[in-house]
Amino acid sequence: MSETTQFRVMDFDCPSCASTVERALSNQDGVEDVEVHYSTGRVEIDYDDSVADPDTFEQTIENQGYSPQPA
């Protein structure tokens, strides 16, 4: 079953920063779609909850050097 979660990341410096986070999240098992909006800091993740572990999403964003907050 597909689920969606959102974060807010307000410390993006440039569009390529947002692309880096999008690419890292897209590589997570079970992630079906990721949209990262540089200008608003909104990160939306669609995932298969039988495969993905949503607890890892926040850590994945932090590993890229950013501070996610639940939206």
Side-chain angles (χ1 to χ4, degrees):
M1 182 172 184
S2 187
E3 296 285 335
T4 300
T5 190
Q6 293 185 2
F7 293 94
R8 198 58 93 177
V9 179
M10 301 309 294
D11 51 354
F12 289 137
D13 292 327
C14 62
S16 67
C17 299
S19 295
T20 299
V21 168
E22 186 171 313
R23 195 170 30 256
L25 289 167
S26 294
N27 288 332
Q28 296 283 305
D29 288 338
V31 171
E32 298 170 340
D33 190 43
V34 179
E35 291 184 22
V36 179
H37 300 270
Y38 161 68
S39 60
T40 63
R42 186 171 62 88
V43 177
E44 186 171 307
I45 307 162
D46 295 330
Y47 62 96
D48 181 340
D49 67 348
S50 66
V51 178
D53 180 2
D55 293 336
T56 64
F57 298 155
E58 187 172 347
Q59 185 64 50
T60 297
I61 296 170
E62 289 174 353
N63 288 346
Q64 302 308 308
Y66 303 99
S67 304
Q69 298 177 1

